[in-house]
Every structure is written in C-alpha cells, then in structure tokens.
Amino acid sequence: MLDLLSQFEWTAYNVIAVVLLVSAGIGAMGFKLRQPLIISFLLAGVLVGPAGLRIVSAHHEIELLAEIGISLLLFVVGLRLDLRMIRTVGPVALATGLGQVLFTSLIGFGLCMAFNMELVTALYVAVALTFSSTIIIVKLLSDKKEIDALHGRIAVGFLIVQDIVAILALIGLTAFGGGLEEDSSLLWEAAIIAAKGLAMLAVIAALAKWIFPRMLAYLARSQELLVVSAITWAVVVAAAAEMLGFTKEVGAFLGGISLASTVQRDAIGARLVVLRDFLLLFFFIDLGARLQLGDLQAEMGKASIFSAFVLIGNPLIVMTIMGIMGYRRRTGFMCGLTVAQISEFSLILAALGLSLGHIDQRAVSLITLVGLVTILASTYLILYSGWIYDRISHLLKIFERRQPMREADIEGSLLTAPAQPPAGGRLGTVIQFGFGNYGREIAGHLRNRGREVLVVDFDPQALTAAREHGYQAVYGDVGDPEVLAQLPLDRARWVVSTVRDRDLNLALLNLLGDVGFRGDVAVSAGSPEEADELRRAGAAEVLQPFSDAAEQAADLLTAAVHVLPGLADWPATIREVILRPGSVFAGKRLRDVPLRQETGASVLAVSRAGYTHFNPGPDFQLFPGDRLALLGDPQSVLRAVEYMDLREIGQTGLDEGVFAIGEITVAHESPRVGRTLADLDFRRKHDVTVIGLRRGDQQIASPSAAEQIASGDKLIVVGSREAVNRLTESSPL
C-alpha cells in the first residue's frame, strides 16, 4: 500500500485534497466521540505524514496555509480581547491566571530538570505546560450553558490572562530568538528591539484612532469587502512585524487589537471564525505530519508524568488559590478543570522554538504528546464535571474556608434575602431556577397572577436584573446539591426550572425527592423525547420553550387585531384583550358577557389557535387564551379592557387560604327572589362570584347572567375568605 502511494505523482493540489478528505473522516469520528477537532487533525497529520501513509513529505504548501491560520487565530484573539472581562470578575482572574502560570512553570521546570533536560528545553517545556486552550474551554462551557456561570466567568477571565502571558512570551522569544551579533551588547540590542516595537505600536495606534473608524464605516457597506480588508490587514501587519524582527503571530495579534475598539469588530470576528478554523486545520496537520513515532515512543514515559501533572496538578493549583481567596470548593473545582490541558499556544510555542533552533524535534514531540493526552482527557472531565464533583465533593473540603467570604460578598452585593412567606401560607411561593429571557417572562406572568417568585441563578448579571425587577433572589446553580439548603422549600408550592438541560433537570428532580419536597416541580425540555423522560422522572409539568414560544408567536401573528382594516375616518378604535385563565367569562357565551351594556364596546372578532372568528354570534363560547378584538370609541374600549381585567379571579391569586368557596341559601321572603344574577351583581356588591346553583335536586353549573333566583336556591360563590364569610354568616339572604 505504501509502495503504491509512493509511486503516485503527488501534486500540491492532490496532497491538499487527500489531507482534507482524511481530516474530514477522522474529524467525523472524533465528533462522534465528543472530542475536540484538534485531536482529530493531529491524528490526521500523523496518518498522512512520514510516520503513516507518507503522503505529506514536503511541507511548504501546508506550512504556508498553517502560518496564515495561526496569524488569523491571533488576529481574532486580539480582535476580541476585552480587558474589561478581567475587571468584571475581580482580582481572582489575575491572581489565578498569574498564580497558575507561575506555579505550573516552576513545578514543571523542576520536573524537567529531574529528567536531565537541557536548560533551554526545560524552559520551553515548563512554559508550554502553563497555557490552557481558550478556544476549547469556551466551546465546552458554551455547550454546557455554563459560560455565564460564576466559574465560567472566572475561567474566561484567567484564560485571557494566560493568552496575554503567551503573547508576551512569543514576543520575548522572537525578539531575542536570533541571538546577539558578536559586536552587539545585550543592552544595545534590547534598545533597538524596544525602538522598533514602540514605532510599530505608534503607527498602529494612530491608524486605530484616526483612520480605521472612518475606513471601516465605508467598507462595511459591503460585507465581502469588509472581510477581505480585515484579512488583508491581518496579513500585512503580520508581514511588517516579521520584517522588523518580530514574528508574524505578534503582528497579527496587534492588528486585531487595533480593530478591537471599532463597532465592526463583532461582524469581522464572526465572519473570520470559519476561515480561521479551516486554516488552523493545516497547522495541526503540519504539526502531526512532523511527528515521528520513534520520538513519541521514546518520550512516552516523560509525557505520562507531565500529563498527570497537568491533569491533576493544574486543577489543584487553581483550587488552592481560589480557596485561599474565599471561593467555595465547587467553584474552585469547576474552574480548576478548565486548566487541565495544554493549548494551541503551547504547540505554537513549541513550533516556534523548533524554527528558532532552541529545541529539537523530540521536545516538540513531547509537548505535542502531552497536548494529545491532556486535551483528550480534560474534555471528558469538563463534560462530566457535575457527576465527578458529586462523588468527590467530600474530599475537597480542604480547599474551602469555613466561611467562603468571597462568594458571600458576591451574594451580599448582588442579592436580596430569601422571600418571606406570603399571607396565603406555604403554597404561595414559586422557586424558579433561571432568569434568562424565557425565565423572565414566566416570572412576570406568575407575579401578575399573585405568586411570589424567588429567583435562583448562577449568573450575577441575571441576578442583578432580577433584583431590578423587584424579585427576591438567591445565588445558586441548579446542579449544586448544596443550594437546596438555602431555599425555603417548606413553604414553596412550585419549583420551576427554566434551564433546558436534561441532566441538570433530572438531577434536580432526584435531589428534591431526596429532601422530601412536597410541592410540584416544573422543568424545561428541549424536545418531546426529553419531556416524556422528565415526566417519568416525576415532573408535574414540563415546559417546552421552543414549542410554546412558536405557538404564542403564531397566535400573535394571526390575531384578528393585525388583519382588521384601519378606521382612519371613523371615530372608533380597535384594541385586543386576552381572556386569561381564571376569568369569570371563561366558558361563557357572548350573550352572558354584559360587555356592551357595561362599557359601550363590542366584540368584533375572536382569535383562537391561529384562526379568526369575525362577528361571533351570541352563542359563541369563550375560552382562556382567546384574543378578543374590541371595537368602540377610545374611552369605551379602554373601559372594556379594564372591565375584563377587573373580573379576572386569578389576578389576585388563588393561593390556599386566600380564596374560599361558600354556599348561601336564598330565603323564601327574600327580595332577591325573581331577580336575575345580572340584576343582583354579586361580584360588584359583595366581591364574590356565583359559580353554581343548587335548586332541589338540580345543579346548575356556570349559571348565566339571565338566570332568575328562586326561593330556596343555594348559591355557590367564590371569593376572598372575608367576603365569603360575610355572606355565609348572613345566610339565608
């Protein structure tokens, strides 16, 4: 097979075609195993390189594409570098980022010297062990919906710190990488390098301040031209940096920073991501193709030790620093797992050291092998971090202070105390996990129906928003077993999870069952299959945000009020009102709704489930969720809207102990005998609603307003406990 392939005349185009085919195939298998594509592409490089099929023997074309890919990677990093993120998460990002780099490099250097490595090689390997992959971590945290969690924000913060340190390391290596001329002094060489660097920074800063804002505003008229111009700038500034004695990577990074303050930076970054990822493929292919199996076998023992240190030692360093700073052990553990691998910067550093002649191919193979092992293992550690923490949390107490004051300070500054029980008893409070867009809407509707909502979220910004909206709030993660101890479960009627994560919702159901929660649980699902599984696990209700939102949107777009013609030349207006659940008009026919008599407005159309019924007749029955298009003069329509809302039982809540049902007997000599329910108007006069009649053996449910009262009738009324008590005490009427 190898002999046959070696006889084939491989053109550059054919080589790239085969490389892409092999990469796509191995990448598909890696995706099935939930592995980062970096691993797949490195393996593809080994397969097509001299250690495998020997398809890639000359690296010039692939190396050129790889260099452009690295330049675009650093250009995008500079483009999206937000130094404010470090300030947002406070000192912990700097302390953890710099502390982890320092301790990891020191311990790593000690291990290297124990293996009798040369000094320069030991320095390269030690520094390479300190960097973690921002790209991989952000992708994994985003997939797990944890990028906005406290540990996600801290992790992103110290990963940015690591990126800055990595860039500084690249600058330092390239500045002095070529060595000194015989007649030059270190001080003079440093002065020349500093002068070149300052000149380049001055030019870039001037362009960023006075030229780029206007230029990009013009170029943004064409998205294609904007992208081409951004790529051109990245490559040009990278080439200029190389001409000045720096590397292309440093120039590309500075080029990205020069555009970071423009309003077009997000548009440029979003469009460059696909191209960046495509070209980075060739960097990992090139790196994998250079690996020698003999070198990998020779470095296997060292790689095992270094990999164990990265997988275990790095998280322990982060957990120790965060524990000392006053964070809970769970936050420290989740952050620690994000540094349990080395990054693409480590591989770039190794490749740079090889090109400068500082290290040999064996050192590059060692660093690459550590990268393969740690990226592979840490992916699974992060994906199953919650499951792992549940089983070892008792062992991690040494990494937590007795009083974790840092997170206590966060809670104290962002949050309010837990809600007090409402007047209606323990069934009034709803504990809601999540305050995103969907959760915010649910909380608003619950509050409009008289429920008291206690918000639980791990995102400080979401908690601040909850407090600004007037909700009680508690810091916590739905996947954290310890958060339940903070919650008033004994007086909660519902626990609602708006988090669309199957595993977290199943864990929440199990935890609530373990603590003996006696209320009901509603959770969110992303698909009908998940909904069925959650119901089997004990969920009383399953919310499906995507389906529900789609149905609501369809109702809104097909509502009658949007298709009725305007009334520009007529002194009347059209307004829509929703018949909400709990309305006394729900289930009644239009003839029994005295809307026109009470307000002067009339029902022109009713929208229901995407269908519009124009000019509904008197026998048309109303149901909750109906959208009524009301016609009348502006004042009449306004009164009609208020009329419908005033007669909405659910507006004041239906909590146990707040509303009551009573039975009132009509005396034989009562002046109410012979009068209709509309004439008696119990709702307005007595603050109760008649929901039924008992007349001998006859039971009349939902009597109409035209129903006449007979002597001996028993009226079934619902209302506030005080109002019902007043009437029952005066019974018979």
Side-chain angles (χ1 to χ4, degrees):
M1 178 66 177
L2 294 178
D3 294 336
L4 180 63
L5 290 174
S6 62
Q7 295 174 5
F8 188 80
E9 184 177 353
W10 292 99
T11 65
Y13 192 89
N14 292 336
V15 169
I16 291 178
V18 173
V19 165
L20 291 176
L21 181 63
V22 172
S23 301
I26 296 180
M29 291 187 290
F31 181 78
K32 182 70 174 178
L33 298 174
R34 304 184 73 176
Q35 287 302 307
L37 289 179
I38 290 178
I39 298 292
S40 300
F41 295 158
L42 285 171
L43 293 177
V46 173
L47 182 61
V48 300
L53 300 176
R54 303 174 187 171
I55 296 174
V56 177
S57 55
H59 303 274
H60 304 299
E61 297 83 4
I62 291 180
E63 186 176 4
L64 175 61
L65 294 174
E67 289 177 349
I68 298 176
I70 295 172
S71 296
L72 282 183
L73 167 66
L74 294 171
F75 179 78
V76 173
V77 171
L79 192 68
R80 294 184 172 179
L81 184 61
D82 187 1
L83 297 178
R84 291 173 297 179
M85 175 65 73
I86 300 175
R87 296 195 299 269
T88 300
V89 295
V92 65
L94 285 171
T96 309
L98 296 178
Q100 185 263 320
V101 168
L102 176 62
F103 288 111
T104 299
S105 58
L106 289 176
I107 298 173
F109 182 76
L111 290 174
C112 292
M113 298 308 294
F115 285 120
N116 296 319
M117 292 185 181
E118 295 182 359
L119 180 62
V120 176
T121 302
L123 287 172
Y124 266 90
V125 173
V127 173
L129 297 178
T130 64
F131 304 134
S132 303
S133 177
T134 303
I135 295 175
I136 295 175
I137 298 306
V138 170
K139 179 67 167 61
L140 290 173
L141 292 177
S142 298
D143 291 345
K144 293 187 66 181
K145 308 295 188 298
E146 294 179 359
I147 196 69
D148 289 322
L150 179 61
H151 67 268
R153 291 177 180 273
I154 293 173
V156 171
F158 63 62
L159 287 173
I160 289 176
V161 174
Q162 287 187 3
D163 290 345
I164 295 173
V165 174
I167 294 297
L168 294 177
L170 292 176
I171 293 174
L173 287 172
T174 55
F176 299 99
L180 301 175
E181 297 181 5
E182 294 182 0
D183 299 331
S184 299
S185 67
L186 179 62
L187 184 61
W188 175 250
E189 193 72 19
I192 294 176
I193 293 170
K196 292 179 180 179
L198 290 175
M200 183 171 62
L201 288 175
V203 172
I204 291 176
L207 292 173
K209 184 174 183 179
W210 289 298
I211 304 298
F212 289 151
R214 293 183 180 180
M215 179 184 294
L216 291 179
Y218 173 77
L219 296 174
R221 298 177 183 178
S222 170
Q223 295 299 317
E224 293 84 356
L225 184 58
L226 179 66
V227 173
V228 171
S229 301
I231 296 173
T232 301
W233 172 242
V235 175
V236 167
V237 74
E242 188 176 39
M243 292 174 61
L244 292 174
F246 298 99
T247 63
K248 296 182 289 292
E249 292 80 12
V250 172
F253 178 74
L254 295 176
I257 291 179
S258 68
L259 303 183
S261 59
T262 64
V263 296
Q264 292 82 14
R265 75 163 194 171
D266 291 330
I268 295 172
R271 286 167 174 78
L272 287 183
V273 166
V274 175
L275 179 60
R276 176 204 68 186
D277 292 343
F278 172 73
L279 292 175
L280 274 179
L281 156 68
F282 294 99
F283 168 73
F284 296 113
I285 291 291
D286 181 55
L287 195 62
R290 293 177 186 273
L291 294 178
Q292 300 292 332
L293 293 182
D295 292 337
L296 293 180
Q297 293 174 355
E299 302 298 328
M300 192 70 70
K302 296 177 184 177
S304 300
I305 300 297
F306 286 122
S307 298
F309 169 60
V310 172
L311 289 168
I312 301 174
N314 277 358
L316 290 178
I317 291 172
V318 170
M319 291 176 64
T320 301
I321 295 173
M322 294 188 65
I324 293 173
M325 295 188 68
Y327 285 88
R328 293 194 176 102
R329 61 183 184 271
R330 186 178 188 275
T331 305
F333 177 76
M334 296 299 181
C335 289
L337 291 184
T338 63
V339 296
Q341 88 287 125
I342 65 174
S343 75
E344 61 277 0
F345 274 121
S346 303
L347 303 181
I348 292 172
L349 180 72
L352 179 60
L354 180 65
S355 65
L356 294 174
H358 293 172
I359 58 176
D360 56 19
Q361 183 60 48
R362 290 189 61 178
V364 175
S365 298
L366 171 62
I367 294 173
T368 305
L369 187 55
V370 173
L372 287 170
V373 174
T374 56
I375 292 173
L376 184 74
S378 66
T379 299
Y380 289 102
L381 292 177
I382 294 173
L383 289 175
Y384 298 102
S385 58
W387 182 87
I388 297 171
Y389 176 80
D390 290 342
R391 281 150 183 79
I392 66 171
S393 60
H394 62 284
L395 302 175
L396 304 178
K397 292 183 179 179
I398 59 174
F399 297 101
E400 180 179 286
R401 288 187 177 186
R402 182 171 299 178
Q403 293 294 332
M405 76 287 186
R406 182 72 62 174
E407 291 192 37
D409 290 344
I410 293 175
E411 295 169 16
S413 62
L414 292 174
L415 315 174
T416 55
Q420 296 299 319
R426 77 169 193 88
L427 296 181
T429 301
V430 175
I431 298 175
Q432 178 177 306
F433 286 89
F435 198 71
N437 293 332
Y438 185 60
R440 191 171 305 178
E441 290 294 323
I442 290 179
H445 288 302
L446 289 171
R447 184 162 62 181
N448 290 339
R449 285 160 173 75
R451 296 296 192 267
E452 186 165 0
V453 181
L454 172 62
V455 174
V456 184
D457 207 307
F458 54 59
D459 181 0
Q461 292 183 355
L463 293 170
T464 300
R467 186 182 66 174
E468 291 173 351
H469 282 76
Y471 296 100
Q472 304 291 327
V474 168
Y475 172 80
D477 190 342
V478 66
D480 187 355
E482 299 172 5
V483 75
L484 295 182
Q486 307 175 46
L487 304 178
L489 294 175
D490 58 331
R491 58 177 184 260
R493 172 64 181 85
W494 283 92
V495 170
V496 180
S497 171
T498 63
V499 179
R500 293 188 295 273
D501 188 294
R502 167 189 168 275
D503 295 334
L504 289 179
N505 285 324
L506 287 173
L508 177 63
L509 290 167
N510 292 331
L511 290 171
L512 290 172
D514 293 340
V515 299
F517 177 59
R518 294 186 296 168
D520 292 321
V521 185
V523 294
S524 300
S527 66
E529 294 76 17
E530 283 187 20
D532 292 339
E533 183 179 8
L534 292 168
R535 288 190 185 96
R536 291 193 298 270
E541 295 289 345
V542 178
L543 313 175
Q544 293 183 262
F546 296 119
S547 301
D548 296 344
E551 183 177 358
Q552 293 168 8
D555 284 349
L556 284 171
L557 294 174
T558 56
V561 72
H562 296 304
V563 297
L564 291 171
L567 300 171
D569 299 323
W570 190 259
T573 187
I574 298 174
R575 185 165 173 179
E576 184 181 75
V577 64
I578 301 175
L579 192 66
R580 302 187 184 279
S583 171
V584 296
F585 299 123
K588 298 232 176 164
R589 302 183 185 279
L590 281 179
R591 69 169 72 250
D592 300 325
V593 181
L595 185 66
R596 187 172 182 82
Q597 299 92 310
E598 292 285 345
T599 67
S602 58
V603 178
L604 181 60
V606 178
S607 297
R608 178 186 298 160
Y611 294 92
T612 300
H613 306 270
F614 289 99
N615 295 320
D619 291 325
F620 188 92
Q621 193 171 11
L622 300 177
F623 294 100
D626 284 351
R627 298 175 178 272
L628 282 62
L630 306 178
L631 173 66
D633 63 78
Q635 293 299 322
S636 296
V637 170
L638 183 60
R639 286 195 299 269
V641 172
E642 295 175 350
Y643 180 79
M644 301 297 287
D645 286 338
L646 286 173
R647 279 152 176 75
E648 185 178 341
I649 293 176
Q651 188 173 13
T652 55
L654 288 174
D655 295 329
E656 184 179 297
V658 177
F659 274 76
I661 296 178
E663 186 174 293
I664 306 166
T665 302
V666 179
H668 293 286
E669 67 280 4
S670 172
R672 297 174 176 83
V673 173
R675 301 180 65 183
T676 65
L677 289 176
D679 294 334
L680 296 176
D681 199 356
F682 279 88
R683 174 67 175 170
R684 179 176 299 177
K685 295 177 181 177
H686 303 287
D687 199 25
V688 298
T689 300
V690 178
I691 63 172
L693 285 174
R694 297 181 191 273
R695 184 172 294 161
D697 295 334
Q698 184 182 9
Q699 294 184 349
I700 304 174
S702 300
S704 69
E707 184 72 37
Q708 290 185 336
I709 300 299
S711 62
D713 281 352
K714 298 182 183 298
L715 309 182
I716 311 301
V717 297
V718 63
S720 66
R721 182 171 296 279
E722 293 79 6
V724 171
N725 286 341
R726 283 197 302 270
L727 280 177
T728 53
E729 289 171 0
S730 61
S731 181
L733 296 174

